[in-house]
Each structure stands twice: as structure tokens, then as C-alpha cells.
Amino acid sequence: MKTLYFDCGMGAAGDMLTAALLELLPDPEEFLKEFAALGLPGVRMEREKTMKCRISGTYISVTVNGVHEESYDVSEHSHNHSHEGSEYSHDHMHEQPSSEHSHNHTHSHTHSHTTLNDIEHLVREHLALSEKVKEDIMAVYRLIAEAESYAHNAPVTEIHFHEVGTLDAVADITAVCMLMERLAPEEVVVSPIHVGSGQVHCAHGILPVPAPATAYILKDVPIYGGNVKGELCTPTGASLLKHFATRFGEMPVMKTAAIGYGMGKKDFKEANCVRAFLGESLKDLDAPLKDTMFLTDKVLELSCNLDDMTAEAIGFAMERLFEGGALEVFTLPAGMKKARPGVLLTVLCAPEKEVQMAALLFKHTTTIGIRKAERARYLLERKITSIETPYGTVRRKESEGSFFGENFLREKYEYEDIARIAREQKIGLNEAYEKIQREVEG
């Protein structure tokens, strides 16, 4: 499957996504000529090769009537942009705080704000784009409009795009939608998004990060903050990712054909970039059994050391943990302080079961502290089938998958069903298993 993966460890903005996708093309300049031919009023898009933390990538520069739309956060100065002669203008906190400038100035120019209808008229009536690209652009803008409507408690029809409604934002969104059509991935996976921290200075005042509109767009999307001060993910970046993402999660197992680095302008200790990986996901690398593949997921590992519980009490605690939904519970011998023999009790559970499992550990063991770690797993695809036999229904667990050309198949009868037959027939466990095997094989 043709897969595109976005690594958003330093957030995302429209210009950064454009730059990362451009690097995936064999001839970026040819695309820029196609984009220029659209004739967006006064808009010029150029690419520059740049370095961040000694990593080479692409920075996209967009000017409207020769003016750069700079961005800023609360640590910088506020300013109002306007573009003489343009009908699309605004007061704004602009694209990702990837731009850094150390001089104080004020740009003062005025023109009308832009509504969703203005954007739609421009896109549908004046740009020579495919219907798919037009629909993608308007879907992204509707996400932004809904978020602004929520943030300002106003109908969508009354929203003026202070932050994202200008021609440079139209340029970024249009470019990304055109590039996505050209690359045509079958699956788009997006990493958890780093949104930054602190505050951002915009036309409405000083706002927390993520800004209200961005936070609304990123509902139901995995996000996280960190030590980086400033807004790393903009409404434009958030909306583009949410619109195109097939799913959010860790990077899938894939063979990459191209990697793109889309750079922001501002410098941090970390490389300020979005990475885009284009390639084939594992599912299409080789012909697996029944088109299955390895699955991956995350589990939590909770553990504690015990040296003052009886074996019976530990066994009772393990039963309660399994009843509570633990995926696995096991013990290992451990040497404790003061030369005491003890037990390491470990629980594997789904992340959403974390609090419940911790509560059960405190309730049913003598521990006063629980360690937590996140673990990644490879899994075979699993299913349970039921087999009718003269001895009753027997369940069989079937697991299968493939990994780079090797196919794997596991079959196992459920112990409880085999044990029931052994008890009812007054025979040994192995003999019961052999009887079932003969029935299945005919």
C-alpha cells in the first residue's frame, strides 16, 4: 500500500507541510511553475534549501505583493500586516512561529477581511484546479471556520479569518492539496502532534498554546506539549493534517522511497521541521498468508517488587488483575534488600486500563510503589474459530501474519475445552487433544 507518514515532532504549519511534500517530488521546480500558473493575486512561492541542526531541508517562502508574512509568538513583538492593493487582508497571528525576526516594526495597511464565501469564490471560480483539489481546499477551510466559530462563539457565516484567511494561507493550503493529489497516497499516517507550550500573541490578545481554534481542530487527535515555548502547530497545519490523515499513530513498518524535510524558519535546540516519508507499507511488500500482516500496538507495563506476601495472596491478586482486564500477569523471582527473596509482579494492560490496574495492585498487594513503562508489541492477527465435534464445541485460536516475506501460522485449541473433554471422557489431556485432532483431520 502506498503510504505517506508525517512526523510532527516539532508541530506543523502549512508552509512546512508544503516544503516536506515538495521534497518527495523528483522535480519540485516543475510543480512550483504549475502553482505559479494558477495566478493567485500577488502571490509568489519560492523554495530555499536550508539547514537545521546540520540537517538539510526545504524552506518555503511565500510573499503577497512582495511582502513576507512573518509570524511571531508572545516573546516577540506584535504587528499588523496589510497588503496594498489586495482585497484579501487581515489582522492576524500568522503561520507557525517558525519565523524569527529581532527588529521592532509596525506594518500598517488596511483592506477587507476574508469570509468563507470569499475563499470559496476564489477557489471555485478563479483557480484552474481539479474538482478533488477544490473540494479538499474547502474541506480544510471548513474545519478552520468551525474552529473559529467555536472559539469566538459566532456563526460560521460571520467568521472573518484573522489568522488564516489571507492569500499566503490560501497558497499553503492549495499547494498541500495539489501535492497530495499528485502523490496520491492510499494511506496517510500522522504521528502524535507536538503543539508547543506557553503563550502566543495574536490580534485578540495573548492566548495559551495551543490557541483555542487549534485546540478545537485537534479534538480526538493525539497531541502533546513539551519544553519548547511557542506555538508549534497552527490552525492551518492542524486542519491539513486532520483532513488528510487516514489515522494517527506511530510510524508503520514500511519501505521508504523518498523522505522530505519541511523546515520552519525559527531555530530551536531541536531541528524545526516536519518530516514526510513516502513508500510502501508492509502489507504490500510481499504476499502474506490471506493478506494478513504483523500488527503493532502499545501496552503499558506495571510492575512492583514484593517480599512480604504469601504465594496464596499473590495468586489471588493475579486472579483479580486478570478479571480486571489485564492482558498478562506474571511473576519472576527477585533478590530484595536485606537479602530477602522476593517476587517481581508484572502486569501488561491496554493504556486505557492503567488507572484500574494500578488501583487493583494497591488493593490486592502490599506494594507502596508501582513502576510504569510503555512497551511496543508486534502481533500476529488473531481470531477464534469454533469446531463442532462429537464431544461438544471446541474453540481454536488461529494466529497468522507475514514479515518481509516470511509467513507465520499458529493454531492452538483452547485449554479449557480440551480439559473439559478429558474430564468427561475420563482420559488424559494428551489423549483428548489427539481425539480432537483426529476429528478435525477427518
Side-chain angles (χ1 to χ4, degrees), residues 94 111 113 138 187 189 192 221 226 232 237 268 284 293 296 298 313 341 374 398 403 428 437:
H94 199 64
H111 40 257
H113 291 278
M138 294 315 304
E187 179 183 44
V189 185
V221 171
L232 296 184
F268 299 103
D284 287 332
M293 59 179 286
T296 60
K298 299 288 187 182
E374 186 181 79
E398 299 175 359
F403 193 76
Q437 195 69 10

XYZ file of all heavy atoms in Angstrom, residues 94 111 113 138 187 189 192 221 226 232 237 268 284 293 296 298 313 341 374 398 403 428 437:
181
model
N 0.025 34.889 12.536
C 0.102 34.134 11.298
C 0.660 32.733 11.499
O 0.673 32.217 12.581
C 0.923 34.929 10.281
C 0.677 34.463 8.912
N -0.536 34.565 8.304
C 1.487 33.865 8.044
C -0.455 34.049 7.108
N 0.766 33.608 6.931
N -7.342 46.524 4.415
C -8.236 46.038 3.384
C -9.206 45.075 4.025
O -9.094 44.756 5.191
C -7.486 45.404 2.210
C -6.317 44.579 2.598
N -5.021 45.019 2.480
C -6.248 43.347 3.133
C -4.190 44.078 2.900
N -4.924 43.071 3.293
N -11.572 42.079 5.459
C -11.383 40.731 5.968
C -11.947 39.721 4.973
O -12.719 40.065 4.093
C -12.097 40.569 7.312
C -11.447 41.357 8.407
N -10.345 40.907 9.083
C -11.751 42.575 8.926
C -9.997 41.800 9.986
N -10.830 42.823 9.911
N -11.633 23.408 0.290
C -12.788 23.910 1.024
C -13.069 23.079 2.272
O -13.525 23.611 3.291
C -14.017 23.942 0.114
C -13.905 24.946 -1.026
S -13.252 26.570 -0.510
C -14.404 27.036 0.786
N -2.735 5.593 1.973
C -2.856 5.705 3.421
C -1.982 6.869 3.886
O -0.857 7.024 3.423
C -2.413 4.416 4.113
C -2.498 4.465 5.625
C -1.977 3.194 6.278
O -0.926 2.693 5.861
O -2.636 2.718 7.212
N -0.602 8.410 7.445
C -0.456 8.216 8.885
C 0.258 9.441 9.457
O 1.274 9.879 8.907
C 0.339 6.933 9.211
C 0.377 6.697 10.723
C -0.269 5.727 8.492
N 1.635 11.512 16.625
C 1.137 12.459 17.616
C 1.780 13.826 17.391
O 2.965 13.918 17.062
C 1.557 11.837 18.950
C 1.615 10.365 18.664
C 2.125 10.264 17.252
N -7.491 14.000 18.357
C -6.193 13.755 17.731
C -5.145 13.664 18.839
O -5.159 14.477 19.767
C -5.833 14.904 16.754
C -4.397 14.774 16.268
C -6.802 14.913 15.579
N 5.361 20.230 25.668
C 6.772 19.965 25.900
C 7.473 21.199 26.408
O 6.844 22.140 26.890
N 3.727 25.606 18.050
C 4.352 24.765 17.027
C 3.363 24.298 15.971
O 3.759 24.006 14.845
C 5.014 23.547 17.679
C 6.180 23.831 18.618
C 6.794 22.528 19.105
C 7.233 24.697 17.950
N -1.945 24.123 9.743
C -1.291 22.819 9.814
C -2.190 21.763 10.417
O -2.276 20.633 9.921
N 15.412 26.270 17.010
C 15.270 25.711 18.350
C 16.452 24.777 18.591
O 17.252 24.507 17.690
C 13.961 24.931 18.478
C 12.724 25.760 18.267
C 12.025 25.699 17.077
C 12.247 26.583 19.277
C 10.872 26.444 16.886
C 11.098 27.332 19.098
C 10.404 27.270 17.900
N 2.090 -4.599 1.487
C 2.302 -4.858 0.074
C 3.735 -5.266 -0.265
O 4.071 -5.419 -1.419
C 1.955 -3.610 -0.741
C 0.460 -3.379 -0.799
O -0.279 -4.361 -0.709
O 0.046 -2.213 -0.908
N -0.889 -9.418 8.063
C 0.400 -8.815 8.324
C 0.592 -8.716 9.825
O -0.327 -8.967 10.598
C 0.469 -7.419 7.707
C -0.595 -6.476 8.235
S -0.507 -4.824 7.536
C 0.930 -4.215 8.396
N 0.848 -3.888 15.100
C 1.626 -3.273 16.169
C 0.695 -2.486 17.068
O -0.320 -1.967 16.618
C 2.703 -2.323 15.614
O 2.070 -1.291 14.856
C 3.690 -3.069 14.732
N 0.584 -0.512 21.373
C 1.291 -0.113 22.581
C 0.579 -0.708 23.789
O -0.655 -0.746 23.844
C 1.319 1.411 22.724
C 2.021 2.129 21.589
C 3.521 1.940 21.647
C 4.215 2.801 20.601
N 5.674 2.595 20.599
N -1.574 -15.346 48.513
C -2.030 -13.966 48.356
C -1.633 -13.406 46.992
O -2.407 -12.672 46.355
C -1.466 -13.093 49.468
N 14.499 -13.010 49.697
C 13.947 -13.470 48.418
C 12.572 -12.832 48.223
O 11.795 -12.697 49.170
C 13.843 -14.989 48.593
C 13.726 -15.189 50.060
C 14.514 -14.085 50.710
N 5.992 2.134 28.943
C 5.245 1.843 27.722
C 6.042 0.882 26.868
O 7.242 1.051 26.664
C 4.976 3.136 26.938
C 4.073 2.939 25.739
C 3.826 4.219 24.969
O 4.725 4.620 24.187
O 2.750 4.826 25.145
N -6.485 -19.118 16.170
C -5.672 -19.103 14.960
C -4.987 -17.742 14.849
O -5.630 -16.701 14.927
C -6.537 -19.360 13.727
C -7.243 -20.716 13.757
C -8.184 -20.912 12.584
O -8.300 -19.970 11.757
O -8.804 -21.970 12.496
N 6.091 -11.254 7.672
C 7.097 -10.237 7.973
C 8.208 -10.343 6.955
O 8.994 -11.293 6.968
C 7.645 -10.428 9.386
C 8.447 -9.253 9.872
C 7.825 -8.093 10.289
C 9.826 -9.312 9.909
C 8.555 -7.004 10.727
C 10.572 -8.234 10.353
C 9.933 -7.074 10.766
N -6.676 -38.819 29.596
C -5.643 -37.820 29.810
C -5.782 -36.638 28.853
O -6.450 -36.719 27.813
N -7.924 -33.761 17.360
C -7.110 -33.612 16.169
C -7.571 -34.583 15.094
O -7.661 -34.241 13.908
C -5.638 -33.841 16.499
C -4.656 -33.370 15.444
C -4.595 -31.876 15.307
O -5.153 -31.144 16.123
N -3.966 -31.407 14.246
